[in-house]
Amino acid sequence: MARSRRNPRRAQSGHGKAGPSKWQRFSGSSGGDISRALDPAPRIERDELGEWYVRYVPASGARKPYTCPGCGRGIPVGTAHYVVWKNDHLFGDQRAIEDRRHWHARCWEIR
């Protein structure tokens, strides 16, 4: 029997083409975690120092270690915490975002 000169068929994934579909590529290595997209907008908290934007970061979204300004200890990867920045920064919104800090939930509550 004569052998075909065509390349053998590769296993396909997606929509009948080689490679993953756009939805499979979008999920990346995060395993389809969409928690950041579902997080509500930051809430505004007020205290004697002004107004603060406060956003909750779930444990699944905590992918880098940080140092809490409240206690000076580290916030390890995989620990839920808050990201906090000034609402009314003297030098504008961009500077406020650059100056944001990551706090342990308890440290932010008792500040």
Side-chain angles (χ1 to χ4, degrees), residues 47-64:
D47 65 8
E48 61 277 354
L49 298 176
E51 292 185 346
W52 303 89
Y53 282 119
V54 180
R55 186 176 67 86
Y56 176 73
V57 177
S60 63
R63 298 186 180 139
K64 290 174 40 180

Side-chain angles (χ1 to χ4, degrees), residues 5 7-8 16-17 23-24 43 47 69-70 80 86 92:
R5 293 180 187 240
N7 290 334
K17 59 186 178 208
W23 304 110
Q24 291 166 328
R43 68 180 186 269
D47 65 8
K86 283 287 268 179

